[in-house]
Amino acid sequence: MESSYPWESKYEASVVIFAALAHPIRISIAHCLVNKPHTVRELTEHLQVSQPLVSHHLKILRDAHIVEKTQQGRSSLYNLTDHHISHIVTDVHEHTKEQS
């Protein structure tokens, strides 16, 4: 479906990123990954939620190109795709902390 407004297609990829981060678990996962990669097990323990729930949200983040998965032996490590995503996550968190 073609857009009626030229700005819609211009910002479509940005909207995908913000939409994927617009859930407390997903923004928490992204924030955990800012400093170092984690396994699903580590994320599960840190967030205190089930493994299937973490895996579900990681898939959404992968589909939006926010996180990527690499194999390390029998484990999969998840990390943020690049420093731009890291800045978005940390800047938004810092911005909202200032407003509290």
Side-chain angles (χ1 to χ4, degrees):
M1 184 163 146
E2 225 172 283
S3 169
S4 327
Y5 305 102
W7 48 264
E8 284 182 316
S9 60
K10 180 178 179 181
Y11 294 105
E12 186 174 345
S14 298
V15 169
V16 168
I17 289 172
F18 283 112
L21 290 171
H23 189 282
I25 290 177
R26 293 193 293 268
I27 195 78
S28 297
I29 289 170
H31 198 260
C32 286
L33 299 176
V34 165
N35 293 316
K36 72 178 192 120
H38 288 282
T39 64
V40 173
R41 182 177 184 180
E42 291 169 334
L43 291 168
T44 298
E45 290 171 0
H46 179 76
L47 299 171
Q48 298 182 348
V49 296
S50 71
Q51 181 272 321
L53 187 59
V54 170
S55 294
H56 167 74
H57 287 289
L58 282 168
K59 180 178 180 348
I60 293 168
L61 293 170
R62 277 194 328 268
D63 290 348
H65 305 288
I66 294 170
V67 300
E68 57 192 8
K69 174 173 79 168
T70 55
Q71 284 299 124
Q72 185 176 5
R74 298 180 116 187
S75 297
S76 296
L77 280 177
Y78 289 86
N79 58 294
L80 298 178
T81 55
D82 61 40
H83 70 281
H84 299 292
I85 297 296
S86 177
H87 283 292
I88 291 168
V89 171
T90 56
D91 289 350
V92 167
H93 183 68
E94 288 301 313
H95 176 73
T96 55
K97 274 186 9 185
E98 291 171 4
Q99 293 179 354
S100 299

